[in-house]
Every structure is written in C-alpha cells, then in structure tokens.
Amino acid sequence: MTDMVTFHWADYLVFSVVLLASALIGVYYGCTGKKQSTSDEFLLGDRQMPLFPVSMSMVATFFSAVSVLGAPSEIYNYGTLYWLWVISFWIALPITAHVYLPIYYDLKLTSAYEYLDRRFNKVIRIMGIITYTFHILIYMSVILYGPSVAFELVSKLPYWATVLLGGFVCLFYTSFGGMKAVLWADTLQVAVILIGILALIIQGCINLGGVGEAFRIANENRRIEFFNWNPDPTERHTTLTVIIGGTFTVLVIYAGNQQMIQRYLTVDTKRRAQIAVYANMPLTFIAQSLFCLTGVVLFAAYATCDPLTQEQIKNRDQMVTYMVMDILGHLKGMGGLFMASVFAAAMSTMSSGQNALAAVYLEDVAKPIYESVHKRPMPAKFAVGLSKAFAVFFGIATMALAFVIDQLGGEILTLALKIFGIIGGPLLGLFTLGILFPCANAWGAGAGLIASLAIEFWINLGFILNGLTTPTLPTRTDGCPNATFTSNATFTTMVSTTTTMVYETTQAVEPTEEPAIFYMYKISYMWFTVIALLVTFIVGLPVSWIAAKITGRYKTEDVDPCLVWPICDKICCCLPEMFRGCCRVPERKYCIA
C-alpha cells in the first residue's frame, strides 16, 4: 500500500469537463426546440423521447453513487451474495412491464399520484404525495452524501463545498433543460460510469496478476459465496433473502416510483415503454456484475492490509475512492475521471428525483389549487415556471439534508435500501392494493398505508434503540508495511458482538452473550418491502370490507376497470366463492388505447 495520493491538476480538469458537459446539455435543451415552453415538454420530453436515452436513464437513475461506492464496499465487507440481486431484476421487471406500466401508460398520467386520486380519492393522493416526498428527498440526500464524502478524501475541498458543487450543477441542468436534459445527461453519465469502473477493474487486475487471482484471494478469505440456504430472515443476506426481498425492492423502484413511471410516459407508445423496461434486464446485469467485480478486486488488493483499520480512511464508503487514488493515482487524470463517474452517478439520480418532485407538486398540488381558485386551467408558461421553481426548491432541500445525513453516518448502500423498504415499501403496497384488488377502497388504502409505515418505523426504531449492528467478515493487517501490533490487540469494525479478527496480528475475542431482543428488530433490511406489502394487504382489505358494509358504498362494480389489472377478473374463477367479489370488475371497455 502506498501513501495516499490526492488530486493532480489533470484530475481536476477531467472532473470539471464532465460536470461542464452535463451543465451544457441543460443549456442546449433549454435553448432549442420549444425551449421548455410547456409543462409536457419540461416534465415528459413531449412524450416523444427515443428508446435509447430512456433506457439509459432508467438504469442510471437506479445505479447511482450508492452502487458505484456502496456495492464494492458491500462485497469487501460481506461477500458476493449481493450479486444475486440481478436475479431479482429478471423477475421484477417483467411484472412491472405487464402489470403496472400498462395502467399508468393508458391513463396518460404526468404524476403517478393522479392514479391514487382516480382509484381512491384526494385524501389518499395527498397521503401518497407526502410519503413520496419524504422518501425521495431522504434518498437523494444519501445519494449526494456518498460522492461528497469520497471527493473529500482525494481533494482539498471540504465536505460542504463538494455537496454544493454537485448539488448546484445538477440543479442547474435539471431546472434549465427539463426532462430532455435529464435523459441525455443520464446517458452521458452512464458512459462515464462504465469507463471509470472498467479502468479501475482493469488496472486492479493487472496489479494483482489477473481476474483469477483476485477471485482466488477473495475466495480464500470467505468473500465468494452465492449459495446460502439458511431460512433465518434475521441473517443479513442469504440466497432466498436477496432474491425474494430484492424482487420486491426492485418493484418499489420500477413499479411504485414517480421517477421511473415518469420515464415510461416519455415515449410515444406503450409497447416502446415496455421495451425500455426489458432493455434494463441486460443493462442491470452488466452494471451489477461490474460493481461486484470491482468489490472482488477491491478486497483482493487490500486482503492483508485493511485501510480502515490502518486509519487511512474514515469509513467504508471511502474504500473505492482510496483504491482509485492508490492504483490509478499515478495515471494523471484517471482519478478525476473515476470521481467524475461517481458524481455523474449521483447527479443522474438527483436530477430524476428533482424532476419527479416537480411533476408531482405541479400536477397534484399547484394545478388543483390554481384551478379551484381561478376556475380555469393554469396557463402553460406559468406552469413551466412553477415546475422550474419546484425543481430548484427540491434541489436546495436535497443539499440541506445531505448535511444531516453526514451527521447520521452509516453505509450508503444499506441506508439507501432501507429507505426503499421503510418508505417505498408502503407506497408500493398502496399502488398494488389499488391495482390488484378492485374491492379495496379509500378507507382500506389509508389504513394500510398508515399501518405499514408504522410497522416499518417501529422495526427500525427498535433496531436503533437496541444498538444493533451487523457483523462484517474478518479483515487483516498482517501485510501492512507498519504492522507492529501486539498479540492481544483488537480492532473493531461495525460489529455488535464480534470483533474483527486481524490474522497473525490479533486474537479474536469470544463473543459475549447477547441480551434478549425482540425478533422483528433483527429482521434483515431486505425483507422490509415484503413486510410493508403484507401489512398493507392484511390491514387494507378487511378495513375496505368493513367500510363497504357500514357505508353501503364502495361497490366493486363501481370501480373503473381501467384502474385495475385486467387479469384480476380472469383469476376470480380460481378463488373460493367468498373471495371472488374482491377482484371481479365490469368488462374493460373504455380504457384509453
């Protein structure tokens, strides 16, 4: 391991060029065509966007800085079971394309929460908006936090400056160029991410003596594992936990998320939207495999000299950045290229989030208020200006929350996926309840959403208050040039009852007996979305039935068939008589083609 290398002027130049290119895309689309003169152009690209940038933007929105920095760190600390998430995509994406997407597309929505208004009522729509706002703002702040911490390590800029730098560049091209700028900037950023990741993998493998050697070292240190059939849901990752839990987490992202739903609506036909979703299957496979391969190379490079134990870095999320400057630092400009890829990944997610929130607050909040006050539709120019103002506001809010996330700490991958489960899971449950169960009504939807949110927050509060943490796999320092530790020294990582075993230099300490802790507090975060869906259904359906009986309203035959999955009616014949009324709807005749 060499002394830490910091940015050269060439690195700053490359980094600046990538940020400038993203900003110029915003300028171009803000000054050409209709110049973002309508809300449809600003928020949906006039619904005429090509498949290529839409597909690239989908994968860029999901594989953010969380993946670039968090996935390799995940492999380093916990092993390769995380890679199995690619199977989840191959299950969840076809479900999205044929169950959820057709309903959103046929209704010609701008905001997904218009669906909740049509299916239930305005109260449920507002509840969904509030929940989504918290969800996406917290998630975007985590996304901005990751690269800012990484950049702080290699540059002379303080954390606050990197937050403002990335945040304002993203805010500029999103608010100026609209959805067209977001999609094409995402496409550029995917290319930069791939170049940065491939450069790191190739140079790392050259230093190690090949990919095979990297896997050999990782395997000898228990990092290579794909089959763990332990049925215990409290174990962080098992084969079934990652595949099943991951499938529902992917559905949160692709089926119940305004960022993705908005992208489906930017193309001109439903079939092309479905093709864009299917295009993400090979793209996510390639991206996930590259991120995990980076993790294997990362571990092999520092298998005998852990940088965190040596206090070369402050937290695990700086591992990848440390490796970049360690093995690519001598190639002037390559460190800047990789850090540009990390910021590009963050900006792609933040831009889509800001655009999505702008769409939601324009369509679901501003327009209804304006029309109720003025008794006429909102003028196009005013709508565009308001959309841009919302984008700016939520961009600034993201930067502010990034400073809060810095105080909380934690691994960004785990934080991001927990957010999807805790807040995104109940939202997915709300949409799924409306789409799959025609008998569900507003009372059931509201009760199901509140109950699932309460359960999710209760589980996580219990996790925090009990001081629970997840043990990492053992690391080593016997290969460090300055390994002079005494035989009884110990070094701890993020562990609750087990200390990190440092081979040949430390002695493992016997685990202490854990106090009795409620079982649910120990559930793996990968099951959070599954729990949210189950709670939403278990609470929402009985409450819907009770509300219908008490009020005499909310009859299944009154539900617009365009708002539910068509096959619901066809599978009714397979259900017991007492359940058939819950899914039977009138014939689907008058939906938009």
Side-chain angles (χ1 to χ4, degrees), residues 354-484:
Q354 290 167 20
N355 196 274
L357 284 169
V360 167
Y361 276 81
L362 177 69
E363 295 295 329
D364 298 323
V365 179
K367 279 188 176 180
I369 292 174
Y370 183 94
E371 289 166 7
S372 66
V373 172
H374 297 278
K375 309 300 181 186
R376 59 186 173 86
M378 181 182 288
K381 269 194 174 181
F382 184 72
V384 173
L386 203 54
S387 298
K388 293 182 177 183
F390 282 133
V392 170
F393 172 79
F394 288 116
I396 294 172
T398 299
M399 289 183 272
L401 280 173
F403 292 106
V404 178
I405 297 296
D406 182 45
Q407 300 303 312
L408 297 177
E411 295 170 327
I412 60 169
L413 181 67
T414 304
L415 279 174
L417 294 180
K418 276 191 172 185
I419 292 166
F420 281 126
I422 297 169
I423 310 179
L427 273 177
L428 176 66
L430 186 60
F431 283 101
T432 306
L433 188 72
I435 290 171
L436 295 187
F437 300 99
C439 63
N441 56 47
W443 287 98
L449 177 64
I450 293 170
S452 59
L453 284 169
I455 291 291
E456 294 289 349
F457 278 103
W458 167 61
I459 291 172
N460 279 273
L461 186 62
F463 181 91
I464 294 168
L465 294 180
N466 283 280
L468 297 176
T469 50
T470 307
T472 62
L473 292 171
T475 55
R476 299 167 56 180
T477 57
D478 55 294
C480 297
N482 59 341
T484 58

Side-chain angles (χ1 to χ4, degrees), residues 491-560:
F491 297 86
T492 58
T493 55
M494 299 178 66
V495 193
S496 58
T497 61
T498 310
T499 58
T500 298
M501 296 182 295
V502 185
Y503 296 5
E504 300 180 16
T505 61
T506 66
Q507 294 177 343
V509 176
E510 289 295 322
T512 56
E513 186 177 348
E514 240 184 29
I517 295 172
F518 184 59
Y519 187 79
M520 290 295 291
Y521 296 157
K522 298 184 287 185
I523 290 283
S524 168
Y525 70 93
M526 294 296 287
W527 291 107
F528 286 175
T529 302
V530 178
I531 293 170
L533 280 169
L534 290 175
V535 171
T536 303
F537 297 159
I538 290 170
V539 173
L541 291 175
V543 170
S544 294
W545 182 83
I546 293 169
K549 290 295 182 183
I550 291 175
T551 64
R553 299 166 53 203
Y554 307 112
K555 296 178 181 178
T556 302
E557 55 265 28
D558 295 333
V559 174
D560 183 345

Side-chain angles (χ1 to χ4, degrees), residues 71-87 214-228 236-239 242-243 288-300 413 473 525:
S73 179
E74 167 72 25
I75 304 302
Y76 185 100
N77 290 303
Y78 303 105
T80 55
L81 273 168
Y82 174 72
W83 178 84
L84 293 175
W85 209 15
V86 297
I87 299 174
F215 272 91
R216 183 193 67 77
I217 295 170
N219 188 49
E220 286 180 356
N221 290 273
R222 298 166 46 198
R223 262 52 183 193
I224 306 301
E225 181 184 21
F226 296 106
F227 303 105
N228 177 349
R236 187 175 187 274
H237 284 171
T238 67
T239 302
V242 174
I243 294 174
Q288 179 80 336
S289 298
L290 287 175
F291 294 140
C292 291
L293 179 56
T294 305
V296 171
V297 174
L298 173 66
F299 179 79
L413 181 67
L473 292 171
Y525 70 93

Side-chain angles (χ1 to χ4, degrees), residues 93-104:
L93 291 181
I95 295 173
T96 299
H98 297 286
V99 177
Y100 296 88
L101 186 152
I103 291 174
Y104 300 141

